[in-house]
Amino acid sequence: MILSQRSLVLIGILTFVLPSAHAQHQRLGMEGSNPVQRGQTLFDWVWEPTTLPRTEGKSDGLGPMFNARSCAECHHQGGTGGAGSKIHNIEILTVRLKALDLKNTTIPGESNSKKITTSNQAKNGSPLNQSLDPETIAKLHAGLSNSASVLLHKGSLNSGYYDYQKFLKESNHDFSIEIAERNTPSLFGLGLVDKIEDSILIEQEKRQQTLGLSGRLARTPDNRIGKFGWKAQKATLREFIEEAAAVELGLETPKMHQASDPRRALQNATATDLSNEQIDSITAFVSNLPRPPQADARNTGLNGGQIFYAIGCGGCHVANLGHVKEIYTDLLLHKMKHDLHDPENYQIFGHSKPLENAKNHAGALPGEWRTPALWGVGITAPYMHDGRALSLEEAIDEHGGEAEKSARNFQTLEVDQKMQLMQFLKSL
Ligand code: HEC
Ligand code: HEC
């Protein structure tokens, strides 16, 4: 496993390897007085690629695809592990597979009937100038051969990637490709969330009808209750962290392959970049992050608290979940306004596509979002899953769907009531 120090940043294609890097990494993984400290070092660690070919059986560090070079690069607002600004949003690309059915046909009802063909050639010469079929879709992005949605990575060790990325984003108007974003949430207090018992969440789901709501539990493909991620797509903190390492940083882990170049078929790394023990350490560090600090302004927000419940915010943003006090979420999936929806064909990675009306289908539908916890919400702007709301008021305006009534109640508040509510929210 090869790492080098933060001060020795190597960008792009590397031409040398630091002789002491391996030893440093050994220290990184094996020393440190406790797992939490080792985990923090790994969370902050700025990963770099190595020049060693994979065939040598050595780990290859960062990449080949990555969204950032460290966990902390995205999770840092208000301290290590915090939320992230919009520039760190990750991008998810979804292709409308419906178009497949229409291959080589004209689109009915289009004003100037046209074939579904690509109008542009990828600048790097990929043979994309043909009609859409599954093979072409896979050529577009190898990950699309088994999922309707894939991550569109920001960074690659291959500079040719950037032209390809531009092509996907800008010049493919005849493809039905849509890009959705995810904003970086804060990780404070997640160790407590990890320990919330299923029975507590099942209770929340049962209460929905009495509240006039229809929130539901997210289930993983193996039928465990999902708690983590904007779609509640992962059941445990450790699993989320292992996937984040593989997907965001391109680190091969014991259970997850590092993200591979979308222009090529899956290429597995021949060695892991992170050991189980190291993933345990990162998990220990994140689990150990305290809940967000409660502001002193808390007491002045008391009326705001009453307003919060009176206008129905507390239906979804439930104050206490079992032993976890003042978290303000039910961790259930709720249908939100149409404008917030993921692309129609969106599919959570690794899930089969949920059926719109099937009971107990596993993953979240395109229009469903897990209620975010409101603890610490004063310092986690921007808000909502894609960071579209810059202020708390904007976030409330963006609700709709199941929260339509509650959001409308908010509009009818007097100015000073709104202010009290804001004060309350900021004190959480
Ligand atoms: C490129 C920015 C970026 C990097 C790098 C990154 N994350 Fe994240 N993180 C995100 C985003 C965006 C989400 C929300 C993703 C989603 O819900 O689909 C997230 C979600 C999470 C969650 C779930 C939070 C919740 O409330 O359920 C955990 C845990 C997490 N990240 C840990 C990590 C760890 C550990 C690392 C390093 C191995 C890491 N992240 C690297 C952006 C990043
Ligand atoms: C039907 C359930 C529901 C109700 C009722 C509800 N919310 Fe939400 N809230 C959500 C969901 C789900 C999201 C995330 C949606 C998204 O990201 O697209 C959210 C997001 C938020 C956010 C942004 C949090 C973040 O970290 O980005 C704030 C702030 C918020 N709600 C406050 C309120 C307030 C105040 C009220 C009352 C006026 C309210 N909510 C009523 C479900 C609800």
Side-chain angles (χ1 to χ4, degrees), residues 283-390:
T283 310
F285 166 68
V286 174
S287 294
N288 200 50
L289 290 168
R291 59 145 290 154
Q294 285 166 305
D296 294 341
R298 205 170 149 60
N299 292 331
T300 60
L302 274 182
N303 285 341
Q306 281 157 14
I307 296 166
F308 182 83
Y309 289 106
I311 64 174
C313 310
C316 301
H317 297 283
V318 176
N320 304 321
L321 283 181
H323 67 283
V324 186
K325 304 298 178 205
E326 300 180 80
I327 178 171
Y328 294 96
T329 173
D330 55 9
L331 292 180
L332 299 180
L333 297 173
H334 292 277
K335 287 200 184 69
M336 304 303 277
K337 74 170 182 180
H338 191 263
D339 188 39
L340 287 169
H341 289 197
D342 272 327
E344 189 189 325
N345 203 47
Y346 168 79
Q347 181 185 353
I348 298 174
F349 321 127
H351 283 239
S352 58
K353 194 169 166 353
L355 301 170
E356 185 66 56
N357 295 313
K359 252 192 167 182
N360 300 327
H361 53 69
L365 294 166
E368 289 178 317
W369 302 98
R370 180 203 64 173
T371 311
L374 295 184
W375 59 10
V377 79
I379 53 159
T380 59
Y383 304 110
M384 309 306 267
H385 69 269
D386 52 5
R388 67 179 61 192
L390 300 182

Side-chain angles (χ1 to χ4, degrees), residues 29-47:
M30 312 310 284
E31 285 178 13
S33 50
N34 65 53
V36 172
Q37 283 169 355
R38 290 202 295 272
Q40 170 147 24
T41 306
L42 285 161
F43 193 92
D44 286 334
W45 194 262
V46 181
W47 289 83

Side-chain angles (χ1 to χ4, degrees), residues 107-114:
I107 305 171
E110 290 269 313
S111 51
N112 44 356
S113 300
K114 56 179 180 182

